[in-house]
Amino acid sequence: MNKDYKFVDQAIEELLPKVKEAGLDTVWDRFKSMQPQCGFGELGICCRICWKGPCRIDPFGNGSQRGICGADAHTIVARNLIRGIAAGAAAHSDHGRHIALTLLEVAEGHAPAYCIKDEKKLMSVAARLGLSTEGKNVRQVAKEVALATLEDFSRQNSSIPCSWARQTMTAERAEKLTALGVMPHNIDAVVAGIMNRTHVGCDADPVNLLLGGLKGALADYTGMYLSTELSDVIFGTPEPVITTANLGVLKEDAVNIAVHGHNPLLSEIICDVAGSMDEEARQAGAKEGINIVGVCCTGNEVMARRGIPLATNYLSQEMAVLTGAVDAMVVDVQCIMPSLGVLQECYHTQLITTMATNKIPGAVHVEFTEKTALEDARRVVELAIEAYKRRDKNKINIPQYKETAIVGFSAEAVFAALSKLNKEDPLKPLLDNIVNGNIQGVALFAGCSTTRVAQDHNFVTIARELARHNVLLLATGCGAGAFAKLGLMTQEATEAYAGDSLKAVLTAVGEAAGLNGPLPLVLHMGSCVDNTRAVTVATALANKLGVDLDKLPVVASAPEAMSEKAVAIGTWAVTLGIPTHLGIIPQVTGSSLVTEVLTDKLKDLVGGYFIVETDPLRAAGKLYEVIRERRKALGI
Ligand code: NFS
Ligand code: SF4
């Protein structure tokens, strides 16, 4: 047990000693026994790309300065970094492809569990992709949208950029990135290109490699954007909804099903069928029927669209099982700890994997397909009810912590709320308040939670500090999870932490939108792929102001990042011109050149750059400084 570790989240603090009593270990114990972690790895100067290696560079300059093939620290660090970006892009865009293929199946009538829930969004997506909708029915439009989207995965003409990239950023940005040679034309080709150029004996120029990384990051952006937008088409665009978050959302008298991972394709259908199976759960003895809760980004997806409560975020996913009250943990893809398969040996929880490419030893596998989604979802719920019957009452320990969370602020929802203030020109009130300084700037919180920092602490500390300085806060993914669990997505948090002028704006918009009070302090924009929702808002603002994205007082922060997806996201945010904070030291500092490009030189190239700062208060100070700088440059 890691006793020097402080938890902001009281639910974890309360549960951990019980875990120790049971003799189990968690992510924090394994982190501790992993110390000291490999210094070469931390600096990014270990290369395992070929089997002459592994090679490592001596960071003190006494030993080897080149790998066996002659690659130096800069080449090795750059190659490692962009391979991570390619992995992140592959993860997000495969998710996006899955959604696009499902939309095609819906259009062709092969996916009976799904429909087009948001026709209006479908039409706006079609318009954005330059498709004419006149005289076509919904299915025809859906088919054309799906096919046009799939072209972003298959186009061979490298002079034509991906539609989902080109159409979603300012024209100036697209031009700039095209001139730099980093606009993707085909997501898959760009990911493959990175794997190719980083093979032994290929690209050794660190700057050229990093430019390849920017392109990979934009491929990631493309995959994420289309993923969010097409998910909205199929499942509906989020609107504000009030729900709850943290482990206290688990119910002792219900069959608790936790949906975990990233892709909404199965979890949405589980929510659909659970209602009709409530009676079966009650017959099994669960007085409160079925209770679905979310973990990680699948959790964010169903929370934003349906108000399903969120049990917890990435780092504390094991804690959900350790309550002894989760009957089924249903996982799809990404950010699922293999330790869940071990923990369920000691608990009755049924771990259920659902995707052919994401299996975990110890789990039961229910293979999910779009065609059989309804049956698959029913099977999952049946397994949960079966597991409920095996529950050991003595092992149940649900920490009674949960907070209200107002979530579901898609770009459309933000515009809709603003339109209550100005129907003709919804962006005007937001813009006016930025220009007059009531809102100093906008900060987007994204990314993971990690053992390298006290979970959730950086998120909460930076957010409170920026709010005090009247910065509007947006959040996605596990950052959003942290804020939801810890009560920062409430009106009370706005009252408590927002600076006076920010509070006044949030109150005016909240009142006009019928919330009987201010908007929550942090606006929940959804899961990790939904980071692009923030880009939608930023691009609309930039277009209205007539400037490019790199002029806006907009910053991003991934204060507890760990995954390759986070590396990809941070890199595209920077490439779009957004200064992006990392609260952990990225594994690149073994190369002074790569570090300098990322934290400084990129500024001249694309306007965005990385700010590395592990102290959250100082990080908030630096982010605020950037906002002030940008305001000054705009003359506001
Ligand atoms: Ni995104 Fe990290 Fe994972 Fe989702 Fe959570 S850890 S970068 S937020 S669940 S991807
Ligand atoms: Fe070593 Fe070069 Fe092989 Fe990397 S690619 S393991 S540096 S020989």
Side-chain angles (χ1 to χ4, degrees), residues 46-56 66-71 76 79 198-201:
C46 163
C47 183
R48 288 179 46 250
I49 278 177
C50 89
W51 287 1
K52 297 196 298 310
C55 298
R56 62 213 179 336
R66 287 183 183 271
I68 297 168
C69 69
I76 291 176
R79 284 196 306 216
T198 55
H199 183 272
V200 57

Side-chain angles (χ1 to χ4, degrees), residues 133-150:
T133 54
E134 235 181 81
K136 293 173 191 159
N137 64 30
V138 172
R139 274 191 170 187
Q140 282 168 317
V141 177
K143 181 164 181 171
E144 286 187 22
V145 164
L147 291 174
T149 298
L150 291 168

Side-chain angles (χ1 to χ4, degrees), residues 312-589:
T312 200
N313 52 351
Y314 172 75
L315 203 62
S316 39
Q317 57 186 272
E318 294 166 321
M319 292 291 129
V321 175
L322 295 169
T323 61
V326 171
D327 301 295
M329 176 75 96
V330 192
V331 303
D332 47 71
V333 293
Q334 302 164 17
C335 300
I336 302 145
M337 290 187 193
S339 62
L340 296 181
V342 182
L343 286 181
Q344 65 148 28
E345 286 169 15
C346 309
Y347 286 84
H348 78 292
T349 306
Q350 182 68 68
L351 179 65
I352 306 171
T353 53
T354 58
M355 299 286 169
T357 53
N358 283 251
K359 295 188 180 180
I360 298 174
V364 162
H365 188 72
V366 175
E367 181 110 356
F368 161 82
T369 70
E370 293 76 62
K371 289 191 181 65
T372 57
L374 281 170
E375 295 94 90
D376 303 336
R378 273 194 210 105
R379 179 79 194 116
V380 162
V381 178
E382 276 164 18
L383 284 168
I385 296 172
E386 282 304 309
Y388 172 85
K389 296 179 192 158
R390 300 195 302 269
R391 246 197 216 182
D392 180 349
K393 288 224 158 45
N394 298 320
K395 285 190 178 170
I396 296 183
N397 247 312
I398 306 175
Q400 292 304 317
Y401 292 94
K402 65 176 173 186
E403 293 280 350
T404 299
I406 308 175
V407 302
F409 290 91
S410 56
E412 289 83 348
V414 171
F415 298 147
L418 290 167
S419 74
K420 297 286 182 348
L421 291 177
N422 186 334
K423 202 163 183 303
E424 281 75 51
D425 194 354
L427 272 178
K428 191 167 183 298
L430 180 56
L431 200 60
D432 287 351
N433 279 300
I434 292 177
V435 170
N436 69 20
N438 284 342
I439 295 176
Q440 288 285 309
V442 183
L444 167 66
F445 289 90
C448 334
S449 38
T450 173
T451 37
R452 286 183 180 268
V453 301
Q455 183 177 357
D456 308 324
H457 178 251
N458 282 359
F459 279 111
V460 174
T461 311
I462 301 173
R464 282 187 192 157
E465 188 62 12
L466 287 179
R468 198 166 72 78
H469 287 296
N470 299 301
V471 175
L472 178 66
L473 310 176
L474 314 174
T476 60
C478 286
F483 295 128
K485 285 191 313 179
L486 299 170
L488 292 191
M489 290 179 163
T490 60
Q491 298 181 316
E492 292 74 16
T494 308
E495 299 290 354
Y497 302 116
D500 289 340
S501 59
L502 174 66
K503 195 184 297 178
V505 178
L506 292 177
T507 305
V509 181
E511 294 279 359
L515 286 175
N516 286 326
L519 292 178
L521 184 70
V522 186
L523 300 184
H524 182 286
M525 289 205 125
S527 66
C528 220
V529 296
D530 296 339
N531 276 311
T532 50
R533 298 191 195 279
V535 180
T536 308
V537 176
T539 303
L541 277 176
N543 284 334
K544 187 153 176 67
L545 260 176
V547 299
D548 194 3
L549 290 163
D550 63 348
K551 303 289 181 298
L552 295 179
V554 173
V555 294
S557 174
E560 305 180 18
M562 61 90 202
S563 75
E564 290 167 313
K565 289 180 292 172
V567 179
I569 295 168
T571 308
W572 66 244
V574 160
T575 310
L576 291 183
I578 301 167
T580 299
H581 163 247
L582 294 176
I584 44 93
I585 309 280
Q587 295 178 352
V588 302
T589 55

